[in-house]
Amino acid sequence: MEKSGVQESKSPSELIDGRIAELGDWRGEMLGRLRALIKQADPDVTEEWKWRGVPVWEDAGMICTGETYKAVVKLTFAKGAALPDPAGLFNSSLEGNTRRAIDFREGEVIDEEAFKALVRAAVALNKFKAKR
């Protein structure tokens, strides 16, 4: 039985490629750049496509989601509140007890080393929690 068409036959990575291409503007470029940095920080990362179209990066649990809005590309770290953020990258969803997010706006420069350190910290936390 075929589920709603073409999307079902594509891998999560292909669906994320499609999202980046369909955006066709700075948001697609930003999402693509952030995706590349996540993969550099964690070569073992797996990509998922959840909740009807949200790119998700995982390693021993969820690292972060990548959502695109009109004015921002939002990366939400599942356990962000428990992560060290010495560079102060988190700038959204700061009131919660668990998640933290980074809103990237058009033309913003990414602190690549700080971002990759945050990804690595999220993976380390997932692996630590998985061992318990």
Side-chain angles (χ1 to χ4, degrees), residues 79-80 82-83 120-130:
K79 298 179 184 102
L83 299 176
R120 286 190 289 268
V123 172
L125 181 62
N126 285 350
K127 289 182 176 179
F128 174 76
K129 290 202 179 239

Side-chain angles (χ1 to χ4, degrees), residues 8 12 16 24 33 38 45-47 49 59 62 66 68 72 74 79 83 88 92 97 102 105 107 109 113 124 126:
E8 296 304 320
I16 295 170
R33 184 73 196 119
I38 291 167
V45 72
T46 57
E47 295 183 314
W49 186 257
D59 188 343
M62 188 182 300
T68 52
V72 299
K74 177 184 288 286
K79 298 179 184 102
L83 299 176
S92 183
N97 293 331
I102 307 170
R105 291 175 172 71
V109 175
E113 291 311 309
N126 285 350

Side-chain angles (χ1 to χ4, degrees), residues 55-98:
V56 178
W57 291 274
E58 298 181 343
D59 188 343
M62 188 182 300
I63 300 168
C64 63
T65 63
E67 297 172 273
T68 52
Y69 298 96
K70 187 175 180 179
V72 299
V73 173
K74 177 184 288 286
L75 260 68
T76 303
F77 284 73
K79 298 179 184 102
L83 299 176
D85 182 22
L89 297 180
F90 289 129
N91 60 12
S92 183
S93 305
L94 302 175
E95 63 286 336
N97 293 331
T98 307

Side-chain angles (χ1 to χ4, degrees), residues 7 15 19 48-56 66-68:
Q7 279 198 358
L15 293 169
R19 168 64 47 83
E48 298 295 335
W49 186 257
K50 296 186 178 181
W51 309 296
R52 296 194 175 133
V54 177
V56 178
E67 297 172 273
T68 52

